[in-house]
């Protein structure tokens, strides 16, 4: 058998990507059309309806301030949804056993799932970015920085989705993180306002909220506006991604939610 | 002495709730053997197979596949094995060709190699006309053919079949028997679990009977089935069901 150069089963890893892309393309409306339409509506509402009545924030029109946050929320949702449903359904229907009985390593299984997460999030993000550029609702200050935030955040939430996919025993549990963690924290993470706009006693909540660094980072890459030194966001996000990867690798090695 | 195809020593599997599924089970299957693994439902057959193939984690004991430790060196060990599971553990929206192709991919087979192998298996199991239908649209017999083809895609040295003919028609059963005898004749080792004793009598050379997680009888088929009453009586006696069986008659 070929495809295992350098000890890595590249063909196996690519097969997971092919399988998940095939699964994703069975629901293109859910995967891509829905977030793009949602972003288009935000551009319309904040750009033309509400935006005209709100003075600029940080020296930029309101829609330019808000759109990076909207984009980041879509990256988070796309990446979490992709990996959590992939893992949960493969456990629920037991076809995860196909990979368990194969000579694939745990890191190859995780990397295959993460690659699809990154593809889905990047396509979603680029679609929203292009819409924003077409309507004059945003700019791009740094493409490498923009791509860093898309890839790094999608990896973090892809890994979080894997954890929830392994842990869930029902469809209900699959939504727990989204309802009680992702949605509330992203809403108060600086999508619609700066930290300065919050009452002083509430500002610590923003600084302690990881979503703040993600939204602030991608906003900086798009419109050049930032409320923290760039290194803080890059450092925090990179460390979080590595810690999450090691955690998921540990869960796979222990067979958590995978093996009987 | 040649390396056995499968060597299980003192295997014990205790599930999280304390249920002992396999208890100190030892088993050796020689290369080229056609081995029947019998036992009533819940006896520990599937759990043993799951421990061998990585679906379940052994609590204790060792498993070697052609001398390779199936836990410590699991990647190398799994290259040597093909598993046909009892249940249809597939993506129901995928097509038969996709299902078999993906399995070949997980085993690191290159595209051209996969295509040749899949074309052969689709032809062999008469899946050609159905290869582009969704798995969930197929009949029970066709679904069974797909999971068999999937188990064979990597041309394994040790083929493990967990009740492969459960619920399939006579035609497929005969196709499968012919094929299994053919690949066993080529030197492939086969471990078969089945509730059809005539199937085991027809195909296997060696037999083990498991009950309550332990092997209660083991030997050649001729030894076990040679006594009066044949394999059925030996099976019923070994599993403690003989008295009930006789009372029922």
């Amino acid at each position: 058998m070929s495809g295992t150069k350098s000890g890595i089963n590249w063909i196996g890893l690519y097969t997971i990507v092919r399988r998940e892309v095939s699964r994703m393309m069975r629901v293109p409306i859910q995967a891509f059309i829905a977030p793009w339409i949602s972003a288009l509506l935000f551009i319309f509402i904040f750009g033309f309806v509400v935006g005209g009545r709100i003075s600029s924030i940080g020296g930029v029109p309101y829609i330019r301030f808000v759109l990076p946050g909207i984009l980041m929320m879509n990256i988070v949702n796309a990446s979490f949804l992709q990996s959590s449903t992939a893992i949960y359904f493969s456990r629920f229907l037991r076809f995860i056993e196909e990979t368990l009985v194969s000579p694939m390593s745990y890191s190859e299984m995780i990397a295959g799932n993460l690659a699809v997460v990154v593809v889905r999030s990047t396509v979603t993000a680029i679609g929203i970015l292009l819409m924003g550029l077409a309507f004059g609702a945003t700019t791009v200050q740094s493409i490498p920085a923009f791509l860093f935030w898309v890839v790094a955040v999608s990896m973090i939430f892809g890994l979080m989705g894997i954890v929830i996919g392994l842990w869930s025993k029902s469809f209900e549990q699959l939504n727990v993180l989204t309802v009680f963690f992702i949605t509330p924290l992203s809403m108060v993470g600086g999508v619609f306002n700066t930290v300065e706009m919050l009452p002083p006693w509430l500002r610590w909540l923003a600084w302690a909220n990881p979503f703040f660094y993600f939204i602030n980072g991608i906003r900086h890459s798009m419109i050049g506006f930032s409320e923290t030194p760039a290194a803080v966001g890059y450092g925090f996000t990179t460390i979080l991604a590595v810690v999450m990867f090691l955690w998921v690798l540990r869960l796979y090695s222990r067979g958590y939610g995978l093996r009987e | 002495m040649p390396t056995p195809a499968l060597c299980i020593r003192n295997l014990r599997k205790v599930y999280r709730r304390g249920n002992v599924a396999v208890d100190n089970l030892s088993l050796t299957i020689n290369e080229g053997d056609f081995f029947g693994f019998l036992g009533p439902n819940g006896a520990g057959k599937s759990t043993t197979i799951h421990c061998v193939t990585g679906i379940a984690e052994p609590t204790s004991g060792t498993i070697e596949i052609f001398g390779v430790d199936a836990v410590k060196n699991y990647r190398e060990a799994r290259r040597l094995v093909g598993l046909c599971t009892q249940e249809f553990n597939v993506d129901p929206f995928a097509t038969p060709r996709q299902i078999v192709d993906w399995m070949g991919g997980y085993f690191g087979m290159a595209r051209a190699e996969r295509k040749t192998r899949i074309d052969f298996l689709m032809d062999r199991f008469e899946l050609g006309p159905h290869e582009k239908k969704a798995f969930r649209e197929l009949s029970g017999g066709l679904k069974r053919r797909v999971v068999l083809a999937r188990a064979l895609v990597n041309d394994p040295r040790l083929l493990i079949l967990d009740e492969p003919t459960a619920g399939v028609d006579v035609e497929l059963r005969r196709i499968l028997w012919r094929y299994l005898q053919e690949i066993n004749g080529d030197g492939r080792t086969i471990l078969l679990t089945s509730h059809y004793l005539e199937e085991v009598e027809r195909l296997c050379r060696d037999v083990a009977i498991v009950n309550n997680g332990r092997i209660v009888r083991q030997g050649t088929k001729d030894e076990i089935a040679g006594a009066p009453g044949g394999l059925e009586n030996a099976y019923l006696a070994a599993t403690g069901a003989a008295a009930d069986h006789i009372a029922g008659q």
Side-chain angles (χ1 to χ4, degrees):
Chain A
M1 310 244 171
S2 53
T4 52
K5 287 170 191 164
S6 330
I8 298 171
N9 181 356
W10 290 108
I11 293 176
L13 200 153
Y14 178 58
T15 301
I16 292 184
V17 175
R18 284 195 300 129
R19 185 195 72 198
E20 286 306 311
V21 167
S22 156
R23 198 180 66 85
M24 185 168 67
M25 294 317 291
R26 290 178 208 150
V27 286
I29 293 176
Q30 181 195 313
F32 300 113
I33 308 297
W36 288 340
I37 288 178
S38 156
L40 201 60
L41 290 170
F42 272 110
I43 291 171
F44 176 71
I45 301 292
F46 287 111
F48 303 107
V49 181
V50 180
R53 295 168 186 272
I54 297 175
S55 59
S56 64
I57 295 180
V60 293
Y62 193 54
I63 180 61
R64 290 199 178 196
F65 180 84
V66 169
L67 192 66
I70 303 293
L71 194 147
M72 181 52 76
M73 284 171 69
N74 277 291
I75 292 170
V76 167
N77 281 328
S79 48
F80 181 78
L81 201 65
Q82 171 60 38
S83 62
S84 61
T85 55
I87 297 296
Y88 180 74
F89 280 105
S90 65
R91 285 178 59 226
F92 183 72
L93 298 168
R94 299 188 65 168
F95 62 86
I96 201 159
E97 291 173 3
E98 291 179 339
T99 47
L100 292 177
V101 303
S102 78
M104 292 196 68
S105 71
Y106 303 124
S107 46
E108 286 161 359
M109 294 179 203
I110 298 165
N113 279 296
L114 277 188
V116 187
V117 164
V118 171
V119 167
R120 177 167 170 174
S121 301
T122 306
V123 172
T124 304
I126 288 174
I128 296 171
L129 178 69
L130 292 175
M131 277 191 287
L133 291 170
F135 286 98
T138 194
T139 55
V140 188
Q141 298 290 322
S142 166
I143 290 173
F146 176 80
L147 289 175
F148 168 85
W149 287 105
V150 172
V151 172
V153 174
S154 60
M155 282 176 70
I156 289 168
F157 285 91
L159 289 161
M160 216 170 267
I162 292 176
V163 174
I164 294 297
L166 292 173
W167 168 75
S168 295
K169 290 178 178 62
S170 67
F171 292 102
E172 182 83 340
Q173 288 182 334
L174 209 55
N175 292 315
V176 164
L177 198 79
T178 308
V179 172
F180 294 106
F181 180 71
I182 292 178
T183 306
L185 286 184
S186 60
M187 285 290 181
V188 298
V191 175
F192 303 105
N193 55 277
T194 60
V195 176
E196 275 187 358
M197 292 165 76
L198 296 169
W201 60 271
L202 203 59
R203 287 178 191 169
W204 67 269
L205 200 64
W207 300 118
N209 182 352
F211 283 80
F212 166 76
Y213 299 95
F214 307 148
I215 294 166
N216 185 70
I218 203 159
R219 182 176 284 140
H220 187 240
S221 75
M222 291 169 76
I223 62 172
F225 179 89
S226 176
E227 294 183 86
T228 60
V232 174
Y234 285 121
F236 169 73
T237 305
T238 305
I239 290 168
L240 187 58
V242 172
V243 169
M244 285 294 302
F245 182 82
L246 293 174
W247 184 28
V248 172
L249 188 60
R250 172 105 179 110
L251 292 177
Y252 265 72
S253 306
R254 286 175 50 208
Y256 176 80
L258 292 169
R259 292 197 298 267
E260 295 164 0
Chain B
M1 198 173 162
T3 309
L6 179 64
C7 183
I8 301 173
R9 287 191 209 98
N10 309 112
L11 179 67
R12 186 173 161 83
K13 174 64 186 174
V14 184
Y15 286 111
R16 285 198 188 104
R17 289 178 185 171
N19 173 34
V20 181
V22 178
D23 191 10
N24 203 30
L25 185 145
S26 295
L27 184 70
T28 300
I29 300 176
N30 293 319
E31 183 165 12
D33 200 357
F34 203 133
F35 195 95
F37 197 41
L38 303 176
N41 289 327
K45 304 184 299 294
S46 292
T47 300
T48 303
I49 288 171
H50 288 178
C51 287
V52 170
T53 53
I55 293 173
E57 195 167 352
T59 306
S60 61
T62 60
I63 300 166
E64 286 180 0
I65 299 165
F66 293 100
V68 180
D69 191 301
V71 176
K72 290 179 188 156
N73 198 359
Y74 71 95
R75 296 186 75 176
E76 197 185 329
R78 280 173 205 162
R79 276 182 223 289
L80 305 167
V81 183
L83 171 67
C84 174
T85 51
Q86 191 179 335
E87 291 174 18
F88 297 131
N89 57 348
V90 303
D91 178 350
F93 296 97
T95 65
R97 182 166 274 273
Q98 279 179 317
I99 290 164
V100 182
D101 180 54
W102 290 340
M103 198 64 181
Y106 302 143
F107 275 86
M109 294 168 70
R111 184 190 294 195
E113 190 186 1
R114 288 201 307 271
K115 187 182 180 310
T116 308
R117 185 72 182 154
I118 295 165
D119 287 345
F120 165 76
L121 291 167
M122 292 286 145
D123 182 52
R124 188 76 206 215
F125 291 109
E126 298 172 12
L127 282 164
H130 311 284
E131 67 174 46
K132 288 182 179 169
K133 293 177 185 169
F135 182 82
R136 66 193 180 115
E137 293 169 6
L138 303 178
S139 66
L142 287 171
K143 285 177 178 170
R144 184 59 65 190
R145 293 177 198 213
V146 176
V147 293
L148 278 164
R150 184 183 63 175
L152 290 160
V153 70
N154 60 321
D155 198 11
R157 286 177 69 188
L158 171 62
L159 177 62
I160 299 176
L161 304 162
D162 196 1
E163 298 186 31
T165 54
V168 302
D169 55 36
V170 177
E171 185 195 359
L172 171 60
R173 197 170 295 177
R174 289 188 183 279
I175 291 173
L176 179 66
W177 286 352
R178 264 201 310 275
Y179 185 65
L180 294 178
Q181 283 172 322
E182 189 183 307
I183 61 172
N184 181 240
D186 290 342
R188 298 280 179 270
T189 310
I190 299 174
L191 168 60
L192 170 77
T193 81
S194 176
H195 286 298
Y196 299 112
L197 298 182
E198 76 277 12
E199 183 171 86
V200 175
E201 278 197 272
R202 183 181 183 127
L203 297 172
C204 299
R205 280 190 291 278
D206 291 293
V207 173
I209 301 170
V210 63
N211 195 28
N212 296 324
R214 290 167 176 266
I215 290 187
V216 289
R217 183 94 193 260
Q218 188 173 353
T220 66
K221 179 192 70 187
D222 294 337
E223 280 167 12
I224 293 176
L231 186 59
E232 185 174 345
N233 263 19
Y235 173 86
L236 291 170
T239 56
D244 298 341
H245 177 69
I246 292 160
Q249 284 181 339

